[in-house]
Amino acid sequence: MSDQMPEFNPDDLRQSMEADIVCVGYGPATAGFLATLIPALMNEDGTPIAESKAMPGMPPQVLCYERADDIGFGVSGIVTKGRGIRASFPDLDLSQIPMACPVTEEKVAYLYDPVGASRKSTGMKAAEKFLLPFKKNFAAELPWIPPFLRKEPGMLLSMGQFLSWTGAQAMGSGMAQIWPGMPVEKALVQGDKVTGVRLVDQGVAKDGTPEGAFMPGMDVKAGLTVVGDGPVGPVGRGLNREFGMPEGNHQREWAVGMKMVVDLPEGCRLKPGTVLHTLGYPEPEIFGFLYVYPENVASLGIFVPSWFDSPVRTAYRYLQHWMMHPYLWQHLQGGTMRSWGAKSLLESGRRGEPFLTGDGWARIGEGSGTTNVLTGSGVDEAWTSGAQLGQAVIDLLREGREFTKDNLDVAYAARRRASWLEEESVQSEKARDGFQKGMVTGLMGMALSGLTRGAINLSGPQKRVYERIPSLEEYYRDTIPAGEIIRIRDACRAKGQSLHDALMDRAGWPSIPFDGKLLVSHQDALLMGGKVQANPGFADHVRFLDPQACARCRTNICVEACSGQAITINPDGPVPLFDREKCVHCGACLWNCTQAHPDDPEQTNVDFRAGSGGLHSAEN
Amino acid sequence: MSYHIVVCGSIVPDPLQTLTPVDGPQGPALKNEMMLPAVLDPWAGHALYEAANLAARHADCRVWLVSLGPKAKLQQVMMAVAQKAPFELVAVDGPASGFTDSFAVAEALAEAIEGIADLDRDKLLLFGGWQSASRGAGSTIQMVAERLGIVDQFQGVDQLNITDNGLEVLERIEGGSWLTSTVQGAPAAFGWATGELPEPPNNPQVGMMNMKTIMPALQKAKPAALGNGFGVNNVSLPQVVRETRVVKDMPVDDIARELVDWIQG
Amino acid sequence: MSILYLAHTDDNGSLPKAALEALTAAQKLAADLGRPLKIGLLGADVQQAAQSIGGCNAEAFFSVSGEAFGPSRYSTDAAACAALCSAAEAGIVIAPATLRLARCLPGTAYRLGGRIDTNITALDAADGQPLPTRWYYRQRMSGQVQRDTQSFSGPWILTLAPGCAAPAECPGQAAPQAVDVPLDGLTRTTVTGVKQPNVDAQTIRPDADLLLVAGAGWTKKQNDGQAHVKEAGELLLDFLGKTKSSLGSSKSLVDLGSEGQDVLDFLTHLHQVGQTGSTPRHPKGLATCCHGEEPHVVGWRFINERRAVNLDAGCGWAHGKADVLYVADAFDVMKKVNELLGK
């Protein structure tokens, strides 16, 4: 605790500001919203379509607050059909956006295990035999790609560059302001109504206690709050808590995507526009992707899903083993990491959809359940939901109607329900349920749902993530004796180290031969790739709610899964340590926790609040 | 006494980015220069915060930020900078590259300053960075000041106090010391080292206020012609990769002995 | 057009080491280009300085001297340098990049319609012109500056970074020709003195053989779960006292101070080494408890031999930046080192 407790009420210092529309988070959904709204705010004669209520005489005042230190900081390489994006930009010229290009070739490859450390079920081994005729370089390229997985004709984009491009256009118009480096703490809720947002406090200690330069977070009051802060965003999750979820909906399926942008080695044979998707290795549950941008650059990475029941699921080491698979390493060896990062993906799709509207607020993007879990497509869907809200807001402004729940339901939610976004979302809703029972069942379920357009599904109950996580002893029961696990755990705890490296070494994974360019230590990836930073004066945004729950935890999966090694073993007690200067804001800790929230079984013991900093790269 | 403080400062690549030189059509450039995240030059940033702080403590002061850089990048960086301190932007559209001539940059900046309608030269305090994270020549502010007729100049400034006797200045000199001087008053020029102020928090209201001048300034930004007769050639990265001997599991006593031998050797 | 070598005296009336280094470069350039070398000296009294380089084979010596030119002051320095350039009809000016000249020479160049390039680390000649090399982007990359000298009328001034040439040794008789500089309007600034930490507290020693760099690890929790900032400070100061080395710091450690954390109170921003700090020159450097990330390491560009003590074997130092990385607890190591140094 800080010893400089202020003798004042923070609310006395709190500033307040009026706007008409306030957006939370500048991701693809908000980008789609602003790209639709802004050009329509003025009539052809130069008059606004509606008068600002916050600043009478002016056009509507539109503000957007983004947590990251600049717009476009974050991580994602994108392959997308881009239907929504093209609808917004009919004359889209990809050559104007750095790192963008059309998809030219798609391949799906099953990766055999070249090191002999991967877990393979009997079903997977049978599938491997079936693919043997296609095996080359420890991989089998599937002879046929199901149409629901195909992205052609589509485009490859760097999320960072695409958002920088859209953001520059939005700001250049002068009709909206996008403020980076400004996390939003929560929505301002009055009864059933949202009246705006509160920004985070600054000038506080790690625990949030005001210090010398204390500046309480400002209240931004607005007629409409557009919530697009993603699946781990504190504002959206706060609304989920405040208003609950629709009957039967829940957010129990997640993945962490860990990715890199790589300068490919000279003479690399991969052509721009190439899309590779992999499955089977380094563990059967881990999927991989590699997209080739122009100028010999690739975006690549893996997805580690919540149903990969490993209590030591470190994405970083698995990413390195995946890159070193001969099928990929033939292209990557000699390359240089340009950028690196990680992000949580909400993979519940339609089933994770919260209430989309309320009085004074609307939800868009991934946090509103837009991701299509069958096609593995999220960006264009998020964009489309934003564009739909943009159109809705234009209609309401033109008609002079308030942003009430009823009006937003008609103008936005109904528009979304009537669109391809909803149709495909429903088709895919149960497509991944089979993975709850295993990899092979999951793949079969996806194929069934995909080929029948959701008519036939391998559906079943979905466990919460913490209900799935086994003990170390259970997970390694066939490979490492329980006594040895205890010894390894004690040794690692004594050194304050996470367990995954020791256990993976013991399980037969070879050590990574660091080359200082592409294969580097996890900490170097943070510095060289992610350029991770955190501004001073903000509170820790990762909090462990109940120390007793941490005391009960035997796996510390939050430490193992932390993408930035920001959460570490605490030698002094059960509650892990958190170093926000290393946090990449992926939010994996939020769902990688073995303990339920003290009051809410759908939440865990980790709270992921509004925080500053994170990745400093816009190339992803 | 009130002051008109003009801060010269532009954008530089975010310090943690990896920088690689490439040959471009106009000479050397940075690889992916337009894609690299940019920030306000740290030294110019210190100057701006010091200016805002000074303006806040004295009545009727005004602060301008005069910035030469590519308009699109300036727009992006200004969204972050604008939240830090109140200022009025004067933008000049041109390269923020390190491979430009400080003389040409100084001319462009001075011309922009001469164009500030409300500027009272008798009240002028010209601020800038002592160094920069791009060219880092440490020569631009002096030339801007010369063109504006300012002959009282200070570099490596860590402190500026306004007293009854005038402006007391602390300048860095060799050996970790400071030179102390007093100048009778404005006009004077100051190239700031790090100063003494931490980076201010992001204040959204300050940002909103600044935007009233920032967007019009960017729209009005005139292109700068940076002259000719200057070039930088053979730009290269130093290729000194050392063979690092990583010593693990050596007893502390042995490490200490080895270190002492090395220190005394 | 002649080459003018420009320098100022130090407090003792002699030439600083950096000035003697720049003279070597000026002599070489004059020889390479086949142009006459002239000398311009500035200071309260330049006689001793002139004698110390009287044997440099210069064609002429000029000086601006007097009490007004003793202290380092922009207005008088810029006027004096401009007068010296004019007197010598200088086409090229070579000067050391001391803080005094680095401050005034850009203005001098501007006044005379000339151009300036600063912090030159190597000075070659090509096609009858100087070909200076300097760093860009905070020592991240180097390049050669090319100027069309026909495109401007004044002198081309080049300041040479310290440590890039051997100091000249050429004492001899010299009788500089005094150049008069009127002081009208040049004394609005009064130099009042030098502020320096007391001798015991002085931890920046530019001429030291060793640079000791402290990183943020010194203030973090140690194995016992506690931070030991006081002990860290004592260990570092003890080492500095015994070795008379110079102290540097990583940015993160200095920044901790502005965040209100418990830090080493003898550290200021002046100690910061790296991208946004200094780039000191020392034969050896020892990094303790710092991670060796790129922005910090650019500040080590001119440290010849580099060793690091760090708990992380995979840290940035391990990747070709240090000569030796000791994976060990710096508290233990430095304690023992101090013990050995004390014997």
Side-chain angles (χ1 to χ4, degrees):
Chain A
M1 293 283 284
S2 164
D3 56 3
Q4 298 175 46
M5 292 289 285
E7 294 174 2
F8 53 79
N9 178 359
D11 284 339
D12 294 343
L13 291 174
R14 196 178 302 284
Q15 301 173 324
S16 180
M17 190 167 69
E18 301 279 336
D20 294 283
I21 297 172
V22 62
C23 308
V24 185
Y26 190 76
T30 305
F33 173 70
L34 294 178
T36 307
L37 175 68
I38 288 170
L41 278 176
M42 302 298 275
N43 294 310
E44 280 185 10
D45 63 3
T47 57
I49 60 167
E51 190 182 6
S52 166
K53 291 185 177 169
M55 295 177 72
M58 301 286 286
Q61 298 295 297
V62 184
L63 302 178
C64 174
Y65 292 101
E66 163 58 39
R67 166 198 62 77
D69 289 336
D70 208 341
I71 59 172
F73 281 1
V75 59
S76 201
I78 307 164
V79 60
T80 177
K81 285 184 179 171
R83 287 171 289 176
I85 292 170
R86 282 202 185 276
S88 298
F89 303 112
D91 303 321
L92 182 67
D93 176 2
L94 288 180
S95 67
Q96 296 304 302
I97 308 171
M99 302 172 105
C101 69
V103 173
T104 55
E105 186 179 18
E106 289 181 87
K107 286 177 184 169
V108 178
Y110 179 86
L111 304 182
Y112 289 83
D113 176 7
V115 301
S118 186
R119 297 149 40 263
K120 300 271 169 156
S121 66
T122 315
M124 288 301 288
K125 285 176 184 161
E128 286 193 347
K129 282 188 185 144
F130 176 73
L131 288 168
L132 272 179
F134 305 102
K135 186 174 172 184
K136 187 182 167 191
N137 241 344
F138 283 95
E141 290 178 356
L142 302 193
W144 174 75
I145 302 174
F148 60 86
L149 284 182
R150 281 200 168 277
K151 298 292 189 294
E152 288 175 278
M155 57 182 100
L156 292 179
L157 293 168
S158 147
M159 175 89 99
Q161 289 304 306
F162 178 60
L163 290 181
S164 297
W165 182 75
T166 58
Q169 292 188 333
M171 288 188 293
S173 72
M175 299 301 291
Q177 294 173 8
I178 306 169
W179 295 106
M182 185 46 74
V184 180
E185 184 189 320
K186 61 179 182 181
L188 295 169
V189 180
Q190 284 182 355
D192 292 337
K193 196 172 161 60
V194 168
T195 58
V197 295
R198 174 166 293 175
L199 309 178
V200 289
D201 293 348
Q202 295 174 74
V204 293
K206 282 165 72 70
D207 62 359
T209 316
E211 289 191 321
F214 178 58
M215 193 172 82
M218 189 170 74
D219 286 346
V220 184
K221 306 276 181 63
L224 176 64
T225 299
V226 176
V227 181
D229 63 346
V232 301
V235 179
R237 289 191 307 105
L239 291 181
N240 293 354
R241 277 198 302 274
E242 186 73 33
F243 299 116
M245 295 281 284
E247 182 68 32
N249 283 12
H250 48 68
Q251 300 182 343
R252 296 181 184 173
E253 193 175 323
W254 297 82
V256 64
M258 186 172 281
K259 313 171 182 187
M260 277 189 196
V261 174
V262 172
D263 273 328
L264 295 168
E266 266 181 53
C268 179
R269 285 174 285 118
L270 292 171
K271 298 282 177 292
T274 303
V275 173
L276 303 179
H277 282 119
T278 74
L279 70 160
Y281 182 80
E283 294 288 5
E285 296 87 345
I286 295 175
F287 294 82
F289 72 89
L290 187 152
Y291 309 148
V292 186
Y293 294 147
E295 297 179 22
N296 215 29
V297 174
S299 174
L300 55 88
I302 58 168
F303 297 100
V304 180
S306 53
W307 42 268
F308 170 35
D309 294 332
S310 165
V312 283
R313 46 186 173 220
T314 160
Y316 189 71
R317 175 120 180 223
Y318 280 126
L319 174 62
Q320 293 181 314
H321 286 299
W322 176 79
M323 287 194 298
M324 291 186 67
H325 188 283
Y327 178 72
L328 300 162
W329 197 237
Q330 61 175 328
H331 302 300
L332 299 176
Q333 188 171 18
T336 305
M337 176 171 60
R338 231 162 91 159
S339 178
W340 166 91
K343 178 195 181 302
S344 279
L345 294 100
L346 176 57
E347 302 227 306
S348 295
R350 177 71 165 74
R351 195 180 273 133
E353 186 183 287
F355 291 109
L356 294 180
T357 59
D359 282 339
W361 58 274
R363 304 283 297 266
I364 53 175
E366 189 182 356
S368 77
T370 49
T371 300
N372 187 311
V373 297
L374 173 65
T375 60
S377 180
V379 172
D380 199 40
E381 284 74 6
W383 176 279
T384 301
S385 70
Q388 288 169 343
L389 180 63
Q391 197 56 53
V393 169
I394 294 164
D395 292 350
L396 294 177
L397 285 173
R398 280 189 190 283
E399 294 159 13
R401 293 161 68 198
E402 301 284 328
F403 297 118
T404 61
K405 175 168 173 47
D406 289 347
N407 288 344
L408 287 164
D409 274 344
V410 172
Y412 166 53
R415 190 187 300 267
R416 181 161 155 176
R417 298 284 178 238
S419 71
W420 62 266
L421 179 60
E422 174 79 359
E423 184 188 353
E424 296 182 8
S425 199
V426 170
Q427 286 173 13
S428 69
E429 183 165 358
K430 297 170 183 165
R432 297 171 68 106
D433 291 1
F435 287 114
Q436 294 282 323
K437 296 188 180 117
M439 183 66 188
V440 176
T441 322
L443 291 174
M444 284 167 56
M446 268 186 84
L448 265 181
S449 301
L451 297 173
T452 65
R453 292 177 177 268
I456 305 173
N457 304 287
L458 283 184
S459 190
Q462 291 210 311
K463 285 183 181 172
R464 300 175 181 97
V465 179
Y466 63 80
E467 292 170 334
R468 300 187 58 93
I469 301 170
S471 68
L472 289 166
E473 289 78 3
E474 281 173 69
Y475 182 76
Y476 283 110
R477 64 183 176 276
D478 297 333
T479 40
I480 310 177
E484 196 175 343
I485 288 177
I486 293 172
R487 279 197 297 280
I488 291 174
R489 182 193 277 132
D490 290 346
C492 286
R493 178 168 280 277
K495 289 188 221 159
Q497 288 176 350
S498 55
L499 274 167
H500 56 249
D501 270 334
L503 287 170
M504 284 182 73
D505 290 347
R506 174 62 183 79
W509 290 97
S511 61
I512 303 293
F514 291 151
D515 61 11
K517 287 169 65 185
L518 187 56
L519 300 176
V520 299
S521 73
H522 199 160
Q523 283 304 291
D524 274 1
L526 251 73
L527 294 163
M528 295 163 59
K531 283 83 171 171
V532 180
Q533 298 178 37
N535 295 311
F538 291 86
D540 280 352
H541 52 276
V542 170
R543 304 291 181 97
F544 303 92
L545 298 171
D546 176 9
Q548 296 306 315
C550 292
R552 286 193 296 273
C553 175
R554 296 280 295 143
T555 64
N556 287 120
I557 188 169
C558 57
V559 172
E560 306 301 331
C562 181
S563 299
Q565 292 185 323
I567 301 175
T568 49
I569 295 282
N570 183 352
D572 293 340
V575 180
L577 301 172
F578 173 64
D579 180 355
R580 69 184 186 87
E581 288 180 28
K582 293 182 178 174
C583 180
V584 302
H585 291 254
C586 74
C589 49
L590 181 67
W591 50 273
N592 275 302
C593 173
T594 63
Q595 306 295 309
H597 186 282
D599 309 318
D600 179 357
E602 293 299 328
Q603 312 283 327
T604 70
N605 194 44
V606 175
D607 193 11
F608 195 82
R609 302 181 185 179
S612 161
L615 299 165
H616 266 228
S617 171
E619 292 188 9
N620 294 292
Chain B
M1 182 67 191
S2 65
Y3 297 98
H4 281 183
I5 310 172
V6 174
V7 183
C8 295
S10 188
I11 56 176
V12 295
D14 177 311
L16 282 181
Q17 305 302 316
T18 306
L19 305 183
T20 312
V22 291
D23 281 324
Q26 268 93 44
L30 299 179
K31 187 173 178 184
N32 306 313
E33 190 154 350
M34 290 304 284
M35 275 195 262
L36 287 171
V39 295
L40 182 65
D41 191 283
W43 286 272
H46 291 303
L48 178 63
Y49 309 147
E50 293 282 350
N53 184 49
L54 198 151
R57 288 187 289 120
H58 294 86
D60 302 324
C61 290
R62 288 177 71 175
V63 177
W64 287 268
L65 174 64
V66 181
S67 204
L68 167 67
K71 215 155 71 167
K73 275 297 215 197
L74 275 182
Q75 174 183 291
Q76 203 169 341
V77 173
M78 283 307 140
M79 296 308 288
V81 177
Q83 300 181 70
K84 298 287 183 191
F87 61 85
E88 299 166 58
L89 180 71
V90 178
V92 186
D93 191 15
S97 165
F99 303 114
T100 46
D101 187 0
S102 59
F103 171 83
V105 171
E107 291 281 65
L109 292 173
E111 198 173 310
I113 294 168
E114 287 165 349
I116 299 174
D118 300 338
L119 183 68
D120 182 343
R121 298 271 196 102
D122 292 334
K123 296 181 175 179
L124 175 59
L125 302 183
L126 181 70
F127 279 22
W130 175 41
Q131 299 179 15
S132 85
S134 53
R135 180 180 48 244
S139 57
T140 312
I141 285 297
Q142 294 96 316
M143 292 191 272
V144 174
E146 281 288 328
R147 173 156 161 176
L148 298 173
I150 300 171
V151 295
D152 290 285
Q153 300 194 24
F154 305 88
Q155 289 291 317
V157 177
D158 268 335
Q159 208 180 77
L160 172 60
N161 289 320
I162 295 176
T163 69
D164 293 342
N165 297 327
L167 312 176
E168 286 181 2
V169 190
L170 242 58
E171 286 175 282
R172 286 189 190 183
I173 53 174
E174 280 90 354
S177 306
W178 292 274
L179 186 71
T180 60
S181 315
T182 303
V183 59
Q184 288 166 10
F190 305 85
W192 283 88
T194 43
E196 296 189 316
L197 299 173
E199 186 169 322
N202 287 345
N203 187 329
Q205 269 186 333
V206 169
M208 296 288 287
M209 205 166 63
N210 282 339
M211 287 315 283
K212 289 178 189 152
T213 68
I214 286 177
M215 281 306 168
L218 286 165
Q219 278 156 8
K220 281 191 300 201
K222 288 182 190 150
L226 290 194
N228 45 30
F230 175 86
V232 182
N233 299 323
N234 301 322
V235 177
S236 61
L237 292 171
Q239 297 294 332
V240 272
V241 176
R242 293 167 187 243
E243 287 288 324
T244 305
R245 175 163 66 96
V246 180
V247 179
K248 290 186 207 173
D249 305 322
M250 185 190 268
V252 165
D253 286 7
D254 294 353
I255 294 176
R257 167 54 57 199
E258 203 173 292
L259 275 173
V260 169
D261 287 349
W262 171 68
I263 290 164
Q264 295 177 335
Chain C
M1 296 283 269
S2 64
I3 293 176
L4 174 67
Y5 162 79
L6 206 52
H8 61 85
T9 58
D10 60 19
D11 292 344
N12 304 320
S14 52
L15 290 174
K17 186 179 170 203
L20 297 171
E21 293 167 359
L23 178 56
T24 303
Q27 286 174 306
K28 180 173 175 293
L29 186 71
D32 289 347
L33 298 180
R35 298 207 206 180
L37 176 67
K38 297 178 183 175
I39 306 292
L41 296 174
L42 163 70
D45 179 353
V46 301
Q47 198 51 42
Q48 180 192 337
Q51 307 291 353
S52 72
I53 57 169
C56 68
N57 292 327
E59 189 175 87
F61 275 68
F62 300 92
S63 70
V64 172
S65 58
E67 282 310 308
F69 301 96
S72 165
R73 173 171 53 189
Y74 177 89
S75 53
T76 38
D77 286 350
C81 290
L84 288 167
C85 289
S86 299
E89 296 180 326
I92 294 166
V93 178
I94 308 294
T98 59
L99 291 176
R100 182 170 179 179
L101 289 179
R103 182 178 56 192
C104 74
L105 287 177
T108 302
Y110 191 90
R111 265 180 217 184
L112 299 173
R115 301 288 187 269
I116 184 163
D117 290 292
T118 57
N119 301 312
I120 307 300
T121 51
L123 188 53
D124 300 307
D127 303 326
Q129 295 293 340
L131 186 60
T133 301
R134 69 179 297 267
W135 292 98
Y136 289 89
Y137 292 95
R138 303 297 294 166
Q139 291 80 42
R140 300 274 191 109
M141 57 196 78
S142 68
Q144 290 177 318
V145 179
Q146 204 161 36
R147 284 190 183 272
D148 173 7
T149 49
Q150 302 298 312
S151 65
F152 57 94
S153 56
W156 184 5
I157 300 182
L158 298 158
T159 67
L160 204 77
C164 297
E169 288 181 48
C170 45
Q173 288 305 308
Q177 180 185 330
V179 177
D180 185 42
V181 177
L183 292 173
D184 304 341
L186 299 184
T187 53
R188 288 179 72 242
T189 294
T190 309
V191 177
T192 50
V194 168
K195 183 182 171 189
Q196 55 191 10
N198 66 46
V199 178
D200 292 339
Q202 177 58 285
T203 51
I204 296 176
R205 302 180 174 104
D207 294 326
D209 287 337
L210 178 74
L211 172 74
L212 174 72
V213 171
W218 282 106
T219 62
K220 305 271 181 196
K221 282 185 181 174
Q222 302 302 312
N223 280 340
D224 61 358
Q226 306 293 318
H228 295 275
V229 178
K230 187 164 173 283
E231 188 191 342
E234 287 165 2
L235 281 172
L236 292 168
L237 289 176
D238 189 18
F239 179 86
L240 293 168
K242 285 179 166 136
T243 56
K244 296 291 171 226
S245 47
S246 187
L247 179 65
S249 162
S250 67
K251 182 174 187 298
S252 54
L253 182 55
V254 178
D255 284 352
L256 286 175
S258 61
E259 281 196 71
Q261 292 200 28
D262 206 4
V263 292
L264 305 164
D265 56 10
F266 47 88
L267 279 174
T268 70
H269 274 106
L270 269 60
H271 289 93
Q272 187 188 319
V273 169
Q275 165 98 359
T276 48
S278 64
T279 312
R281 289 170 183 271
H282 299 278
K284 295 173 189 169
L286 176 62
T288 53
C289 294
C290 62
H291 191 270
E293 59 201 67
E294 192 62 37
H296 175 64
V297 176
V298 298
W300 284 70
R301 187 71 81 208
F302 307 122
I303 307 295
N304 299 342
E305 296 178 33
R306 307 172 186 175
R307 298 195 179 194
V309 182
N310 193 323
L311 278 173
D312 179 6
C315 79
W317 288 114
H319 300 299
K321 294 174 192 160
D323 302 312
V324 186
L325 168 65
Y326 299 99
V327 182
D329 186 329
F331 277 84
D332 297 343
V333 172
M334 293 307 282
K335 201 169 161 187
K336 190 71 196 168
V337 164
N338 286 343
E339 243 178 73
L340 293 171
L341 288 169
K343 284 182 184 169

